Amino acid sequence: MNLDRRSFLGAVALAGTTRPGFAAPDQPVTVEHLDRIAQAPVLQVDDLASPVQIDSMELLRNGRDFLVRVRDKDGAEGMSVANSMHLIHTHPIFVNRVAPVFVGKDARRLEDLLWELYRHADNYKYQGLALWVCVAAAEFAVLDLLGKLAGKPIGDLLGGVRRRDIAVYRASGTRGNTPEEEIEDLKRLVAESGAKALKFRLGGRMRRDDADSLPGRSETLIPLVRETFGPEMTLYADANSSYGAEKAIEVGRLMEEYDYGFYEEPCRFDHLEETKAVADALRIPVAGGEQESSEYRFRWMIANRAVDIVQPDLHYYGGFIRSMRVARMADAAGMPCTPHMSGSGLGYLDAAHFVSCIPNPVPYTEFKGNADIPVSSETSSLKAEGGVVRVPSGPGFGITIDPAFVREAEVVTTS
């Protein structure tokens, strides 16, 4: 059975660990304390004694898919799969303002380079998805390079792999279908993945009038999903910024009645005070943060308990290192962290790698289905089997992108 808000947080706190210099989860945390946690080093590359000088960083495109290839001066190579649904629009920022900053630099300094990149040529003025999706694509490739040189999975560069088998929740991407149609879709998703948890969409997405995508859809769907899948299925629901606080609380009360696990982004993502009012009024844990681009706003959310579960998106927020800082701050406050999964590239695999090494994951991690990019791994099927994705244990991301797919890709330039 799912836990209410207070019990959920208490269970996470009891399951957590306390590291030197970090407050125990049951103690209040201050902004200053969270700052110290965020500033603590994340990247661990002590095994690499010699500089890893980056010789080139290229953006490649094969059809609708974007890859990043980074090489050091000795020819070692790292590769990442970018968030292609956004790179299609933002690739000039990557080519002109992100990639050049890395060339000639020591990849072992990646953590400092991210700050230098943020300041470089006033890049901070582009803060938001447009910048951070590009930064994440670059960071992923450099992490893959460092992992391959060190002979370690990226989780071991980020504090150490804690778990390899990641239980997933299957997320529906549909809004506006009838409740009956959504039930059939959810049944299909469970059959495909064996998932023991589900998430579906509520509300009308970024509405100003609280209107549903179809009249009464959410109020019908919340009990219907529970009745269909029974008490053993863990259920989450995502409002995608649909409601004002009053309506959000009303919907949340219905979710509590039917024993839902968490309630994602009930109010406008940038209306933090409204979100806090909803979280304070409900027992069900409130999750948020997928649209967040600022470490300081995450810090505010954690220090002020505006949400119960922090949810950075590894692409939208700028990569693993920045997201790891959010997870650590949340852990110090006795709060769990779960990555939001971007809907393109290898988002499910990125999320699984992140959860493999954070101290405070929720029981299930988002999974929206396998990508169509041709990849393989010697240590994982890269599929959800029995509701579980096994994290590759090979160096870097532990995957091989089909060499033919890479050869067919063209280098992206801007005019």
Side-chain angles (χ1 to χ4, degrees), residues 209-229:
D209 57 4
D210 292 336
D212 212 334
S213 58
L214 292 175
R217 178 181 182 272
S218 297
E219 287 81 359
T220 301
L221 197 52
I222 290 168
L224 184 59
V225 175
R226 172 57 70 205
E227 291 161 7
T228 301
F229 291 96

Side-chain angles (χ1 to χ4, degrees), residues 97-358:
R97 306 189 69 91
V98 172
V101 176
F102 287 91
V103 177
K105 306 294 175 53
D106 184 351
R108 299 176 306 168
R109 294 187 55 246
L110 175 60
E111 201 157 352
D112 291 333
L113 286 173
L114 295 175
W115 179 250
E116 293 175 19
L117 169 62
Y118 184 54
R119 296 179 61 244
H120 174 77
D122 293 346
N123 274 338
Y124 59 85
K125 295 181 183 293
Y126 292 88
Q127 166 147 275
L129 183 150
L131 174 65
W132 292 123
V133 162
C134 297
V135 173
E139 185 223 54
F140 287 16
V142 175
L143 286 173
D144 189 54
L145 171 66
L146 292 170
K148 288 173 177 174
L149 290 173
K152 294 180 176 181
I154 62 168
D156 280 341
L157 303 180
L158 300 170
V161 173
R162 298 165 182 258
R163 57 193 72 83
R164 285 193 61 206
D165 291 327
I166 310 299
V168 298
Y169 69 81
R170 195 63 168 88
S172 166
T174 308
R175 175 181 274 108
N177 55 354
T178 68
E180 294 75 18
E181 289 169 339
E182 180 68 355
I183 290 294
E184 292 307 308
D185 195 33
L186 293 173
K187 287 180 178 178
R188 177 182 59 81
L189 297 178
V190 170
E192 288 175 356
S193 63
K196 305 299 190 297
L198 286 169
K199 186 176 80 177
F200 58 91
R201 296 186 176 187
L202 302 173
R205 190 180 185 95
M206 288 294 288
R207 294 292 297 256
R208 300 175 67 180
D209 57 4
D210 292 336
D212 212 334
S213 58
L214 292 175
R217 178 181 182 272
S218 297
E219 287 81 359
T220 301
L221 197 52
I222 290 168
L224 184 59
V225 175
R226 172 57 70 205
E227 291 161 7
T228 301
F229 291 96
E232 299 306 314
M233 181 70 76
T234 295
L235 300 178
Y236 309 136
D238 184 0
N240 291 115
S241 297
S242 287
Y243 306 124
E246 184 177 354
K247 180 65 175 179
I249 292 169
E250 177 187 322
V251 173
R253 296 276 189 230
L254 185 61
M255 294 173 68
E256 289 175 349
E257 181 181 346
Y258 288 93
D259 195 27
Y260 276 63
F262 69 64
Y263 184 12
E264 184 176 337
E265 206 175 73
C267 302
R268 286 266 296 273
F269 65 87
D270 53 348
H271 290 196
L272 299 182
E273 291 85 358
E274 272 201 333
T275 302
K276 174 174 167 53
V278 174
D280 288 345
L282 296 175
R283 298 189 316 275
I284 184 173
V286 171
E290 71 174 82
Q291 312 289 354
E292 190 51 73
S293 60
S294 166
E295 185 175 292
Y296 278 76
R297 282 195 296 271
F298 262 124
R299 185 189 69 177
W300 188 94
M301 292 162 65
I302 293 166
N304 293 279
R305 295 286 175 151
V307 296
D308 302 305
I309 304 168
V310 291
Q311 197 173 28
D313 184 292
L314 292 165
H315 289 268
Y316 301 168
Y317 189 61
F320 281 85
I321 289 172
R322 298 186 82 229
S323 298
M324 182 62 74
R325 293 174 187 148
V326 173
R328 287 180 172 184
M329 287 192 291
D331 185 46
M335 297 167 63
C337 175
T338 187
H340 175 263
M341 180 192 154
S342 297
S344 74
L346 295 177
Y348 77 98
L349 185 60
D350 304 330
H353 270 293
F354 183 68
V355 171
S356 79
C357 60
I358 63 174

Side-chain angles (χ1 to χ4, degrees), residues 365-406:
T365 297
E366 188 163 17
F367 180 73
K368 290 178 179 172
N370 292 79
D372 56 5
I373 293 175
V375 295
S376 61
S377 172
E378 295 181 355
T379 58
S380 170
S381 69
L382 306 179
K383 298 177 181 178
E385 297 174 319
V388 172
V389 171
R390 169 151 281 212
V391 178
S393 60
F397 279 89
I399 61 172
T400 299
I401 302 172
D402 184 354
F405 184 83
V406 177

